[in-house]
Amino acid sequence: MVQSVLIVGGGSAGWITANLLNAHCRRTGRDTRIVLVESPDIPTIGVGEATVPTIRRTLNDIGLPEQDFLESTEATFKTLIRFKDWNLGETYDHPFDRRPRPQSDTAAIAWSAQNGLPFDRHFSVLTQLADFNTAPKSPRHPQYQASFPYAYHLDAIKLAARLSSFGQANGIEYRLGNVVDVIVSPEGLIAGVKTDRGDDLTANLYIDCTGFRSVLLGGALDVPVRSFEKHLLCDRAVTMRVPYDVYRPERILTYTKATAREAGWQWDINLQSRRGIGYVYSSQFLDETAAEAALRQYEGAHSDELEARHIRFASGKREVSWKGNCVAVGLSDGFLEPLESSGLYLIEFAGLAIANMLADFESAPQATMRYYNRITNDLYDEILGFLNLHYVISNRRDTAFWRAATSDEVIVDDLRDRLELWKHRGPGQFDFPGADRLFARDSYEFILHGMRYVKGATHSRASIPDLSQVVMKARAELPDHEAFLSLVERAAEARKLS
C-alpha cells in the first residue's frame, strides 16, 4: 500500500503535484500521508509565466477558487501566442480556438490554397478578439468556465506560495530542510532522505521535484538524460521583470508575444502589476553580455536599472521518469524550452497521472512504471516535434543561428515525413496518433498556415467561415481585459475590508 508519499522540493512542480495527490486522495477516500520537504536556501527558477488551457482543470481539481487564484498569482488571461518575425516581417497567431466546430477538412484545405488569407483570422474568434483586448470570459461565467477556451499568464513563484498555504491548510505536511543524504537500498530503491534539520524522512513513494539538480532520480538512482539539444538549439535565457510603475504599456494584453530574434526568440508577458520579458537564445551564437544588451535595447532606457537574471538549461529528459519507488516531476525529469508554455503542463500531466496510478502501483508496480514511462516519454517526444516545427519551417536564413536552426539535420525524425506531405496539403486527421495530445491538429494548422508552409491547388472561398457575427456578439457580451482585472482587484479589496 502507498500509505505515505514524500515530495522532495517545492516550487510549482512540488506544490502542484502535492495538491493534485492530496485532492485525489481526499476524493477517493485514500488514507495517504503526503509530506513535502523544501529547501529554505535554494531559489525557485519561477520563470514559467504562461500556461495552456489545462491549467483550469488542474486548479479546479485541486479546489482552489478561480477568484482566489487570480488575486494571489497576479494572473491575467491568455488566449493565444502572437508570433512575430519567425518568417521575417510577418506575424501570425496560435490561438486556443479553432472554428468551425467540428473541424472541416474542406475548409482547411480550401484555405491552404488561397493567396493572402490569414488562417488565424478566418478560423479563430480569439485572434480577432485579441485585437480589441477582449477578455475571454465575463464575471457571470462559473469559475474556470467560459464561452471560449483560455489559459493564464501568472507569477509562478506566487502560484507555488499560494498552493503551499492552500495545501497545508488541507492536510499536506510541510518540512523545511536541505537534503544532505539520500539512502538507497541494496535493491536500488530509495530508503530514506536526511536533511540538515535532523529529519530522517521515509515513504512508500518518493517524488523528485528538485529541479535541474534531480537529487533523487538523477543523483541517487543515476538515471541518465536523453538529450534533445540536436533539435532545440536554445540553451540560455536572460529574463527581466518590468513593474508598471517603471513602465506601463498601453494595454495589458490577453496574449503572449513571441518575437524571433537573431539568435533565438523573445517572450513578452503581461501580468497585473508588471511584465515579464525574456530572451531565449543559443550560446553557440550569442554570449550572455550580448543577450542582456539585446533585451535591454528591446525594452528601452527605462530598463537600465532593472535586474536581469541569466538562466542556463539543457533540452532533454531522463531516460525513465519512474524508477523503483521514485518518480521525477518537472525539471528533475526533463525540460524542452519555454516556447509554447509546456513546462507547467508537464507538471500538471505528471501530477494527475501519478495520482490516478497510485492504486495501479500497489497492485502491479512494474506494469505501472513501464506504462507511465512510456506515456511520459511519448509526451515529451510529441512536444519536442511541435517545438522543432516552429524553427525548421521558418524561411529565415539571415543569421548563423537561423541557418543552423533550419538545417536538415535539426529536423526531428518523426516530423520529417509529415513535413514532406504538408508541403502539398494541410495536416489531416491521421497525422496525429494518440488520443491525449497537448498539441494536435489544430495547433499544427495554425503554425503551418501561419508560416505559409502549405502549398496547394486553388479552391473556392466558399468554405471559409464568416465569423463576424460571433465576434460582434462576443464583443458585446464580454468585458475589456483591463475592466475584468479591475473587478478582480476591487473584489480583493472588498474582501480585505470585510
Side-chain angles (χ1 to χ4, degrees):
M1 288 289 293
V2 181
Q3 296 177 327
S4 59
V5 177
L6 176 63
I7 299 168
V8 182
S12 300
W15 285 110
I16 288 174
T17 303
N19 277 279
L20 281 171
L21 283 170
N22 194 46
H24 175 81
C25 291
R26 290 161 66 93
R27 277 196 303 272
T28 57
R30 289 187 63 94
D31 185 17
T32 300
R33 181 186 180 208
I34 299 170
V35 181
L36 186 147
V37 58
E38 184 174 27
S39 167
D41 305 316
I42 300 172
T44 1
I45 294 213
V47 297
E49 295 182 325
T51 59
V52 295
T54 56
I55 188 67
R56 291 162 26 229
R57 177 195 65 191
T58 296
L59 294 168
N60 195 43
D61 284 351
I62 287 170
L64 184 67
E66 188 172 29
Q67 176 72 24
D68 183 332
F69 161 76
L70 291 169
E71 291 175 19
S72 58
T73 66
E74 291 218 31
T76 58
F77 289 123
K78 175 189 171 186
T79 59
L80 55 87
I81 303 173
R82 183 154 288 176
F83 290 92
K84 181 180 178 183
D85 286 339
W86 290 74
N87 278 350
L88 203 57
E90 297 182 3
T91 299
Y92 74 92
D93 291 347
H94 175 198
F96 292 139
D97 72 320
R98 160 70 159 89
R99 302 298 175 105
R101 296 288 188 188
Q103 295 176 0
S104 165
D105 292 350
T106 305
I109 294 169
W111 180 87
S112 69
Q114 302 294 338
N115 294 318
L117 287 179
F119 186 86
D120 50 10
R121 298 192 171 276
H122 287 81
F123 288 87
S124 165
V125 175
L126 289 176
T127 278
Q128 299 190 48
L129 293 181
D131 293 338
F132 302 103
N133 218 40
T134 304
K137 69 178 293 179
S138 79
R140 296 187 301 275
H141 283 109
Q143 63 173 355
Y144 300 119
Q145 296 180 35
S147 304
F148 298 97
Y150 66 95
Y152 310 99
H153 302 126
L154 55 85
D155 185 315
I157 293 174
K158 290 185 175 181
L159 173 65
R162 181 65 189 103
L163 290 179
S164 171
S165 58
F166 183 84
Q168 290 178 66
N170 284 280
I172 296 172
E173 297 181 35
Y174 182 51
R175 302 280 190 277
L176 275 174
N178 294 297
V179 174
V180 293
D181 195 14
V182 180
I183 312 303
V184 180
S185 73
E187 297 77 26
L189 302 176
I190 303 290
V193 170
K194 296 180 180 292
T195 77
D196 60 357
R197 302 288 178 96
D199 287 326
D200 293 323
L201 303 171
T202 61
N204 303 120
L205 181 66
Y206 296 82
I207 300 180
D208 186 346
C209 296
T210 59
F212 288 126
R213 296 175 303 128
S214 194
V215 172
L216 303 187
L217 192 74
L221 298 184
D222 199 28
V223 175
V225 171
R226 178 167 56 106
S227 175
F228 300 145
E229 292 175 346
K230 173 184 175 182
H231 307 294
L232 297 175
L233 304 185
C234 293
D235 59 355
R236 300 285 189 275
V238 54
T239 71
M240 191 181 298
R241 295 183 170 201
V242 186
Y244 291 154
D245 58 5
V246 172
Y247 172 78
R248 185 180 179 91
E250 183 180 344
R251 301 189 303 182
I252 300 177
L253 300 175
T254 58
Y255 55 87
T256 300
K257 290 182 182 178
T259 303
R261 304 284 311 256
E262 65 275 14
W265 66 280
Q266 185 170 307
W267 78 72
D268 190 331
I269 287 172
N270 295 198
L271 302 184
Q272 291 179 27
S273 69
R274 66 171 175 87
R275 285 166 49 244
I277 60 174
Y279 187 177
V280 182
Y281 64 95
S282 168
S283 61
Q284 298 177 58
F285 303 98
L286 197 66
D287 62 33
E288 285 189 354
T289 302
E292 181 176 333
L295 186 67
R296 292 189 186 279
Q297 182 182 32
Y298 164 89
E299 185 58 28
H302 60 262
S303 69
D304 290 348
E305 302 304 316
L306 297 177
E307 179 185 2
R309 184 179 179 194
H310 293 269
I311 299 167
R312 298 185 175 197
F313 62 88
S315 297
K317 187 199 172 297
R318 300 282 162 188
E319 288 187 357
V320 294
S321 307
W322 193 329
K323 182 178 180 181
N325 61 347
C326 177
V327 197
V329 174
L331 299 178
S332 57
D333 185 23
F335 185 68
L336 292 144
E337 69 140 282
L339 187 65
E340 289 285 359
S341 315
S342 63
L344 284 175
Y345 172 79
L346 288 166
I347 295 168
E348 297 172 53
F349 178 90
L352 191 63
I354 294 166
N356 281 276
M357 291 183 182
L358 287 177
D360 292 338
F361 184 61
E362 292 167 345
S363 58
Q366 297 302 319
T368 301
M369 282 187 284
R370 286 193 299 269
Y371 183 67
Y372 181 89
N373 288 328
R374 183 165 66 251
I375 63 173
T376 305
N377 280 329
D378 286 350
L379 176 59
Y380 272 83
D381 287 340
E382 178 224 312
I383 297 171
L384 170 64
F386 185 61
L387 301 187
N388 182 243
L389 174 77
H390 293 63
Y391 292 99
V392 300
I393 67 172
S394 170
N395 65 12
R396 292 187 64 153
R397 305 291 186 273
D398 54 309
T399 67
F401 169 82
W402 283 103
R403 289 189 289 275
T406 56
S407 61
D408 186 69
E409 59 266 24
V410 170
I411 301 173
V412 171
D413 289 341
D414 181 57
L415 185 63
R416 192 177 299 275
D417 286 342
R418 287 184 291 164
L419 283 176
E420 188 63 31
L421 296 171
W422 292 335
K423 288 179 182 177
H424 311 289
R425 64 162 174 83
Q429 62 178 321
F430 299 112
D431 295 341
F432 306 99
D436 191 16
R437 298 179 63 97
L438 175 55
F439 301 113
R441 182 178 176 182
D442 295 3
S443 296
Y444 276 80
E445 284 182 318
F446 283 112
I447 307 304
L448 289 163
H449 292 312
M451 296 183 74
R452 304 179 189 277
Y453 184 81
V454 182
K455 312 298 179 187
T458 302
H459 290 265
S460 165
R461 295 191 182 194
S463 298
I464 304 299
D466 180 3
L467 303 179
S468 58
Q469 294 300 313
V470 181
V471 172
M472 189 180 305
K473 185 173 185 289
R475 288 190 63 199
E477 295 177 350
L478 297 174
D480 177 84
H481 191 212
E482 282 94 345
F484 189 100
L485 296 176
S486 294
L487 293 174
V488 171
E489 185 179 357
R490 287 201 294 272
E493 290 173 353
R495 239 187 311 280
K496 288 177 184 177
L497 295 172
S498 61

